């Protein structure tokens, strides 16, 4: 017999069905709670709210498990290419050879951006943060493709927008950097794969030959896979909410990029490096900074520590930590920030404050160090996260639209003043 949840309210008993997912997660389906009881649930920060049913990503924060479409993240990070993972997330299964080749060819076909887009870049100040540039330029793509304004026009039109976004995002991300440097834009080279092409557009100059280091390509491939999806986090929920109003996909993804930018979400990778540099410049006394992080009167937090859902360890951090050691060794880089990061991790993991609150290093703790080793400038770190997360956002949006989910519109409990009469301005 299926389980039933009972709620007692004002002496009356109500029954609600329990929904069980394929990984045995259970939820009380309160879809008609307000209609039958007059009550709503109150859950600030959505800590206990399942906002949707999804078949894309599963994670178990207590056990440190992360799977995309049933495949463990460890296997995908070790063996797959980023485009294989993108295909898996968006279309549901790993591609066969022909499917992957045609996916790659389709994306490559869309790596160029309209020449007019270059003028947008030129209008930004050199100091513009590349996340602000990326978000607004991606939104502005909707003005070049007016047919995309109706996101549900046809499955073919929808897929074309998806391919355009995947193809153009690395070009736009690399150009955001080139623009900040006031360097000439480098056009995509379509015989390069996704990661290699991005690195080429980032680092090549018209004045010299540039060879992309395969160690760097491999590391980037892994990092993008680890970032590719993470179920209903802040930016993905933003994508689903914005998309639920039937806004076009460019605008929807631009909103996701804006949400990712914050230091409590994807912006943490930049914040981690800035924190490590601060500690380093301050003499490297890790204990002092751990004390600051524990002090309730001090707003300082250990960036790259803690996670809303991982309460044991973040499996992505375990993979990244190893990749970080490998990359630094292969590239023969001796980074004092890595030493500080390792000390910080050790001190925090042995400290009761962090242990009792289940605060462990998250994906961003080590990713910044790898990005730094790959030569990616600090302000571009969150852009890298956005490039990785793009297929996840697209997959979640596609799933939501295919399931005809209703517009996202939470309730609230009003706590303001109940009634007042208007007083003319000269009498206030
Ligand atoms: N340093 C010091 N104390 C912390 C930290 C930290 N990094 N994170 C949480 N705490 C404390 C917090 O003060 C609170 O203590 P108390 O119970 O005494 O009030 C307790 O731990 C619970 O914290 P919370 O803020 O209620 O937890 P949350 O689930 O709302 O926030 C978080 C999760 C990731 C926003 C938070 O841990 C944080 O701010 N971490 C630093 C930023 C960071 O690394 N963000 C990247 C997350 S991973 C990338 C992604 O997927 O977005």
């Amino acid at each position: 017999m299926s389980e039933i949840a009972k709620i007692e309210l004002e002496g009356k008993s109500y029954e609600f069905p329990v929904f069980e997912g394929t990984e045995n997660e259970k939820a009380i389906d309160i879809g008609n709670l307000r209609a039958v009881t007059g009550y709503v649930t109150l859950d600030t920060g959505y800590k206990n709210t399942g906002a949707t049913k999804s078949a894309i990503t599963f994670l178990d924060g207590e056990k440190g498990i992360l799977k995309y479409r049933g495949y463990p993240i460890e296997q995908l990070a070790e063996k797959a290419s980023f485009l294989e993972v993108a295909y898996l997330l968006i279309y549901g299964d790993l591609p066969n050879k022909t499917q992957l080749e045609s996916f790659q060819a389709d994306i490559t076909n869309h790596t160029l951006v309209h020449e007019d887009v270059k003028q947008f870049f030129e209008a930004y100040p050199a100091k513009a943060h590349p996340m602000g540039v990326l978000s607004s330029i991606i939104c502005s793509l909707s003005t070049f493709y007016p047919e995309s304004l109706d996101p549900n026009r046809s499955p073919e039109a929808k897929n074309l927008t998806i391919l355009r976004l995947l193809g153009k995002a690395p070009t736009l991300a690399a150009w955001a950097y080139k623009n900040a440097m006031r360097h000439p834009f480098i056009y995509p080279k379509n015989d390069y794969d996704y990661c290699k092409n991005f690195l080429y557009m980032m680092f090549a100059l018209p004045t010299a030959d540039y060879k992309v280091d395969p160690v760097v390509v491999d590391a980037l491939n892994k990092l993008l896979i680890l970032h590719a999806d993470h179920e209903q986090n802040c930016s993905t929920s933003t994508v689903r909410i914005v998309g639920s109003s039937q806004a076009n996909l460019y605008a929807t993804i631009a909103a996701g990029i804006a949400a990712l930018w914050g230091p409590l979400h994807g912006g943490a990778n930049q914040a981690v490096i800035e924190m490590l540099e601060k500690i380093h410049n301050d003499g490297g006394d890790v204990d002092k900074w751990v004390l600051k992080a524990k002090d309730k009167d001090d707003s300082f937090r250990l960036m790259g520590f803690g996670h809303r859902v991982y309460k044991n360890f973040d499996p992505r951090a375990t993979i990244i930590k190893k990749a970080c050691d490998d990359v630094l060794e292969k590239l023969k880089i001796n980074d004092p920030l890595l030493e500080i990061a390792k000390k910080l991790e050790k001190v925090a993991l042995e400290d009761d404050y962090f242990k009792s609150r289940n605060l462990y290093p998250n994906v961003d703790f080590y990713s910044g160090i790898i990005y730094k080793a790959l030569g990616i400038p600090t302000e571009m770190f969150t852009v890298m996260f956005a490039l990785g997360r793009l297929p996840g956002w697209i997959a979640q949006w596609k799933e939501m639209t295919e399931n005809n989910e209703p517009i996202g519109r939470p309730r609230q409990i009003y706590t303001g003043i109940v009634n007042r009469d208007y007083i003319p301005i000269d009498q206030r």
Side-chain angles (χ1 to χ4, degrees):
M1 203 185 93
S2 53
E3 271 181 275
I4 294 286
K6 284 191 180 152
I7 298 182
E8 301 270 340
L9 287 169
E10 298 170 18
K12 273 176 135 180
S13 178
Y14 301 89
E15 293 191 343
F16 297 92
V18 168
F19 180 79
E20 188 168 342
T22 49
E23 288 270 9
N24 308 116
E25 292 171 296
K26 289 181 180 175
I28 303 165
D29 181 347
I30 49 97
N32 65 351
L33 178 71
R34 188 167 180 277
V36 297
T37 68
Y39 283 64
V40 297
T41 54
L42 182 60
D43 184 21
T44 312
Y46 310 120
K47 295 190 180 194
N48 303 285
T49 297
T52 189
K53 295 172 188 166
S54 178
I56 302 170
T57 290
F58 171 73
L59 75 82
D60 181 328
E62 279 71 33
K63 296 191 185 133
I65 295 172
L66 174 62
K67 298 188 221 176
Y68 298 159
R69 302 275 189 193
Y71 294 99
I73 189 65
E74 291 78 7
Q75 289 183 24
L76 295 170
E78 177 74 29
K79 298 177 182 153
S81 72
F82 176 61
L83 281 196
E84 261 183 295
V85 171
Y87 187 101
L88 169 70
L89 288 168
I90 295 169
Y91 303 109
D93 289 303
L94 280 171
N96 62 28
K97 202 164 174 290
T98 321
Q99 287 167 326
L100 183 61
E101 278 168 8
S102 112
F103 185 53
Q104 169 130 22
D106 287 342
I107 288 174
T108 304
N109 210 12
H110 293 290
T111 51
L112 264 186
V113 292
H114 197 291
E115 281 295 290
D116 288 349
V117 173
K118 277 176 26 189
Q119 290 170 30
F120 283 62
F121 279 100
E122 283 151 17
Y124 289 109
K127 284 198 180 126
H129 194 288
M131 282 296 274
V133 175
L134 189 68
S135 174
S136 51
I137 291 249
I138 292 223
C139 193
S140 72
L141 289 181
S142 59
T143 64
F144 289 83
Y145 304 104
E147 70 283 2
S148 71
L149 297 186
D150 173 6
N152 295 316
R153 213 160 57 101
S154 69
E156 294 73 29
K158 206 165 172 171
N159 201 43
L160 180 59
T161 307
I162 291 174
L163 296 170
R164 277 198 178 119
L165 253 172
L166 288 168
K168 292 180 199 318
T171 312
L172 296 171
W175 285 12
Y177 168 64
K178 286 290 190 205
N179 187 56
M181 300 291 286
R182 291 296 191 248
H183 279 172
F185 298 131
I186 300 293
Y187 284 80
K189 226 183 192 158
N190 282 354
D191 50 344
Y192 284 180
D193 71 25
Y194 202 79
C195 292
K196 189 172 173 182
N197 205 4
F198 169 74
L199 291 163
Y200 167 74
M201 289 186 283
M202 271 285 289
F203 296 119
L205 284 169
T207 44
D209 283 342
Y210 174 75
K211 279 214 162 47
V212 189
D213 186 337
V215 172
V216 178
V217 177
D218 284 353
L220 181 60
N221 186 62
K222 203 184 280 286
L223 283 162
L224 295 189
I225 291 174
L226 292 175
H227 282 126
D229 196 48
H230 212 232
E231 51 119 301
Q232 308 310 317
N233 54 79
C234 175
S235 57
T236 303
S237 302
T238 302
V239 163
R240 286 186 90 122
I241 285 265
V242 175
S244 76
S245 76
Q246 301 192 359
N248 68 81
L249 184 57
Y250 298 112
T252 301
I253 296 296
I257 295 172
L260 186 74
W261 194 358
L264 298 191
H265 191 11
N269 55 14
Q270 173 174 339
V272 167
I273 286 292
E274 286 166 355
M275 172 188 77
L276 294 175
E277 275 165 355
K278 215 183 216 173
I279 299 176
H280 180 60
N281 296 339
D282 187 51
D285 182 356
V286 162
D287 294 319
K288 173 181 154 188
W289 290 85
V290 169
L291 273 179
K292 268 170 80 61
K294 290 166 24 174
D295 182 353
K296 289 281 159 217
D297 297 325
D298 191 324
S299 62
F300 175 75
R301 278 191 166 196
L302 278 194
M303 298 315 286
F305 262 78
H307 200 278
R308 169 60 62 79
V309 287
Y310 290 122
K311 299 300 175 197
N312 183 339
F313 66 96
D314 180 339
R316 303 167 302 170
T318 312
I319 301 170
I320 285 200
K321 187 178 176 185
K322 186 174 174 311
C324 190
D325 287 336
D326 289 352
V327 166
L328 293 188
E329 198 189 310
K330 280 186 195 152
L331 298 177
K332 302 198 185 346
I333 290 174
N334 191 359
D335 191 339
L337 296 192
L338 183 64
E339 287 314 307
I340 292 184
K342 282 188 172 159
K343 264 197 226 162
L344 203 57
E345 185 187 15
K346 190 165 180 300
V347 173
L349 290 182
E350 286 167 0
D351 191 298
D352 269 350
Y353 173 95
F354 292 89
K355 281 203 285 194
S356 63
R357 289 169 178 78
N358 296 315
L359 300 170
Y360 298 90
N362 58 49
V363 67
D364 288 324
F365 191 65
Y366 283 101
S367 65
I369 296 173
I370 306 197
Y371 284 135
K372 188 164 175 275
L374 304 188
I376 309 274
T378 315
E379 285 209 328
M380 283 292 287
F381 289 0
T382 316
V383 170
M384 307 309 296
F385 195 152
L387 277 187
R389 185 55 55 87
L390 183 59
W393 287 330
I394 292 173
Q396 300 272 348
W397 169 84
K398 185 166 171 281
E399 177 179 70
M400 182 202 63
T401 55
E402 286 168 359
N403 289 347
N404 287 321
E405 287 187 17
I407 186 166
R409 205 301 187 184
R411 293 269 176 177
Q412 64 160 26
I413 299 298
Y414 178 68
T415 58
I417 295 169
V418 176
N419 279 321
R420 294 203 249 193
D421 285 324
Y422 179 81
I423 302 167
I425 195 153
D426 53 354
Q427 292 171 33
R428 277 179 230 156

